[in-house]
Amino acid sequence: MKNFVEELKWRGMLAQVMPGTEEFLMKGMTTAYLGTDPTADSLHIGHLCGIMMLRHLQRCGHKPIILVGGATGMIGDPSGKSQERNLLDTDTLYHNQECIKKQVAKFLDFEADEPNKAELVNNYDWMKDFSFLDFAREVGKHITVNYMMAKDSVQQRLNGTARDGLSFTEFTYQLLQGYDFLHLYKTKNVRLQLGGNDQWGNMTTGTELIRRKLGQEAEAFALTCPLITKADGKKFGKTESGNVWLDRNRTTPYAFYQFWLNVSDADAERYIKIFTSLDEPTINALVDEHKQDAGRRVLQRRLAEEVTVMVHSREDLDMAIEASNILFGKSTKESLLKLDEQTLLDVFEGVPHFTIDKALLGLPAVELFTRDDAKVFASKGEMRKLVQGGGVSLNKEKLAAFDRPVSAEDLINGKYLLVQRGKKNYFLITVK
C-alpha cells in the first residue's frame, strides 16, 4: 500500500492533516470522502485539486467517496465566501449530480470489482427526512455555540468582511457537514474527510461530533489540500471570461488546452505535480528539460496534454493541437472545417471581426474585402499586389485571383469566412 500522505506532500497537495492520519492510513484500506456542491451541472478546474486527491487516494489502495452536497447546497456554505449562495430545487440538484458523476468517473474507478471502487453519495438522501427537532436533539446538543463561533469562517463573516453578516442557515452549515461525516462513519465506514483548506473548520467539527457521539476512542481524521493560486497570488482557474469548466459545452477542449498551455513557468512546475498522475522521476526529468530551454515550454505542453486527455479525450487533445496550429502554424482547409463553431470562435477570439450581409455573396473578393464593413485591405491596389505575390488566403487556401467571386460554398459552418493577409494577420467575417 502506497503512502497517501507522502504522495500528497511531494506533489505540494498537503496543507493540514490531523495527528495520527498517516499512521492510520498505513494500517490498511481506509474509506475517505470529499464533498462538492452541486450548484452547477459541471465542475470547474477549481475543483480539480480535490478530485485529484481522491484519484491519488484510490491509486494508493484506499476507497474514495465523493459526496454531492444536495442538502448543504440548498443552504450555502460561509467558508471563504462573501455572500450566501442561491438555493436550488431538487430536480436541478439531481440533474447536476448526474452530470458531476460523469465528469468524476474520468478520474475515479466506479466500476471495478474491487473493495476500493469509488462511490457517489448525496447528503440530501439522508437529510430530507431529518426533522429540525431530531437534528437539534441528535446533533445540536453535542456541539456548543462557543465551539462553532471560534471557527475562522464564522468569524470572518461576523467581523464585517461580508456585507450581510451571517444567516442562521449558514451558521448551521458546519453542523450539517459534521453530521455528514458522522452518518458516513456509521453507514460507510468512512474514517477520513478530505477537502480544501478553507473547509478545515467544518471538517474538524465533524471529527469532534463523531467523538462526542460515539466516544473518544472513535477514530476520525481530516486532511486538506492548499487553495491553489497563481504565482502572482491571483485566484487560480479564472479567466477574463470566467471559470474554466470541465464541460465542453461551457469551455471547449481547445480553450481548456490553451489555458494550461499558457500558464507561467513557475505555475507549470507546481501544477504538473498537482493536476496530473505523472510520477516524481518523470516530472523531475520534465522540469530539468524545461530549464534547459524554457522557450520550448516543455512543462506547459505536457501539463496541457495530460489534463486535456484526462478531462476530455485523446481525440480532443489532437483537435486542440490541430486548432492551435491553424493560428500558429501550418494547416489546411480540412483542419479548419473540422472545427465546431465554438472552437472556431475561440481560436480566432483575438483577431479582427467583421459582419456582412449575405446578399453581398457573389461579389469578387477584391470588392468584398475592401468594403468599409469588411476592410481587410486598405485598398484594391494593395489587395491585388498581395494576391499576386501569394500573400492572401481564404479559408487557409491561397487566393489565386483577386477578382474571384466569394460564394456561399466558401462559408465555414454556413456563416464564416477566414481571410489571411500575410503570415500572421487573420480576419474573421460573419455572414448574416
Side-chain angles (χ1 to χ4, degrees):
M1 182 162 282
K2 278 181 73 177
N3 187 320
F4 175 59
V5 174
E6 280 299 318
E7 182 75 11
L8 295 187
K9 274 182 187 171
W10 80 259
R11 290 184 181 275
M13 295 174 72
L14 187 66
Q16 296 187 78
V17 57
M18 286 182 65
T21 304
E22 186 172 3
E23 294 77 8
F24 185 82
L25 285 165
M26 293 307 292
K27 289 178 184 175
M29 189 188 83
T30 302
T31 304
Y33 88 98
L34 177 137
T36 187
D37 277 312
T39 46
D41 60 4
S42 173
L43 300 175
H44 53 74
I45 60 173
H47 295 107
L48 267 187
C49 186
I51 301 301
M52 290 303 293
M53 284 172 82
L54 289 177
R55 181 176 173 87
H56 293 310
L57 180 92
Q58 190 171 37
R59 288 179 154 217
C60 287
H62 303 291
K63 181 179 176 70
I65 292 180
I66 184 157
L67 179 145
V68 172
T72 37
M74 287 180 155
I75 288 171
D77 169 18
S79 303
K81 310 294 186 303
S82 59
Q83 294 179 341
E84 194 160 344
R85 287 191 176 136
N86 293 331
L87 310 186
L88 304 174
D89 60 63
T90 50
D91 287 346
T92 304
L93 286 167
Y94 280 115
H95 166 74
N96 291 355
Q97 172 187 313
E98 288 310 304
C99 295
I100 288 168
K101 183 174 181 181
K102 281 182 185 173
Q103 292 180 339
V104 176
K106 294 182 176 182
F107 296 82
L108 305 177
D109 191 346
F110 287 89
E111 307 300 327
D113 207 13
E114 300 289 336
N116 74 326
K117 77 172 183 179
E119 284 187 50
L120 181 141
V121 296
N122 187 333
N123 62 8
Y124 184 71
D125 294 334
W126 59 81
M127 292 303 301
K128 64 179 186 290
D129 299 320
F130 203 176
S131 76
F132 180 76
L133 291 176
D134 286 340
F135 186 80
R137 186 177 66 233
E138 294 295 320
V139 181
K141 66 180 284 188
H142 292 283
I143 302 291
T144 67
V145 170
N146 304 48
Y147 180 87
M148 294 169 70
M149 291 282 285
K151 300 293 183 181
D152 286 343
S153 58
V154 174
Q155 285 297 316
Q156 286 167 11
R157 293 294 293 267
L158 289 176
N159 291 335
T161 53
R163 275 199 318 270
D164 305 321
L166 180 70
S167 70
F168 173 77
T169 311
E170 289 182 288
F171 185 55
T172 60
Y173 188 94
Q174 61 176 291
L175 290 182
L176 289 165
Q177 188 169 330
Y179 182 74
D180 286 341
F181 199 170
L182 174 64
H183 176 83
L184 292 172
Y185 188 100
K186 294 195 290 188
T187 60
K188 298 283 187 184
N189 198 35
V190 169
R191 294 296 182 266
L192 171 65
Q193 184 179 174
L194 308 174
N197 207 32
D198 60 335
Q199 292 293 316
W200 181 255
N202 293 338
M203 291 162 70
T204 52
T205 296
T207 61
E208 187 66 18
L209 179 63
I210 287 167
R211 277 190 282 274
R212 292 188 185 186
K213 284 280 289 182
L214 304 179
Q216 288 300 314
E217 66 281 359
E219 293 184 294
F221 304 93
L223 181 155
T224 62
C225 63
L227 298 180
I228 310 301
T229 57
K230 294 192 282 189
D232 59 10
K234 291 180 182 174
K235 191 169 183 179
F236 163 76
K238 290 275 189 182
T239 65
E240 288 180 9
S241 54
N243 286 319
V244 179
W245 298 92
L246 306 196
D247 183 343
R248 65 190 305 120
N249 296 316
R250 288 172 175 256
T251 300
T252 62
Y254 166 79
F256 186 85
Y257 173 79
Q258 285 293 320
F259 171 83
W260 299 100
L261 194 62
N262 289 313
V263 300
S264 70
D265 289 349
D267 285 335
E269 191 171 333
R270 286 191 306 132
Y271 294 169
I272 201 163
K273 294 174 185 173
I274 297 168
F275 298 112
T276 78
S277 297
L278 296 173
D279 61 29
E280 194 170 8
T282 302
I283 289 175
N284 288 342
L286 285 166
V287 170
D288 289 342
E289 187 182 351
H290 182 89
K291 285 177 178 173
Q292 288 168 22
D293 184 2
R296 289 174 52 219
R297 301 180 75 75
V298 169
L299 278 178
Q300 285 93 336
R301 289 181 188 283
R302 188 61 183 274
L303 170 66
E305 175 187 328
E306 292 288 327
V307 186
T308 304
V309 170
M310 195 158 46
V311 170
H312 295 292
S313 69
R314 175 66 61 180
E315 291 73 26
D316 285 320
L317 170 70
D318 293 341
M319 187 277 297
I321 293 170
E322 198 167 347
S324 301
N325 289 337
I326 289 170
L327 196 55
F328 304 116
K330 292 180 180 178
S331 61
T332 62
K333 185 177 181 180
E334 284 66 39
S335 303
L336 201 59
L337 294 175
K338 285 180 189 174
L339 303 184
D340 59 72
E341 183 176 4
Q342 189 53 57
T343 302
L344 178 78
L345 294 174
D346 282 345
V347 170
F348 296 103
E349 183 183 18
V351 310
H353 279 57
F354 301 114
T355 301
I356 61 171
D357 193 292
K358 63 182 177 184
L360 296 171
L361 290 174
L363 283 177
V366 72
E367 298 281 345
L368 193 59
F369 302 140
T370 55
R371 293 170 52 87
D372 286 343
D373 55 0
K375 209 162 189 64
V376 176
F377 302 93
S379 67
K380 292 178 183 178
E382 180 199 34
M383 183 176 172
R384 283 194 193 99
K385 191 174 178 182
L386 277 167
V387 170
Q388 286 164 358
V392 178
S393 295
L394 176 61
N395 300 336
K396 283 294 180 180
E397 290 184 333
K398 291 282 185 200
L399 201 61
F402 61 82
D403 57 352
R404 93 128 161 110
V406 178
S407 70
E409 290 179 5
D410 290 311
L411 297 178
I412 305 163
N413 286 322
K415 64 193 288 192
Y416 299 105
L417 297 167
L418 180 69
V419 184
Q420 188 175 353
R421 190 185 73 203
K423 285 187 176 180
K424 296 182 179 178
N425 299 305
Y426 288 93
F427 302 83
L428 188 64
I429 299 171
T430 304
V431 181
K432 287 187 174 179

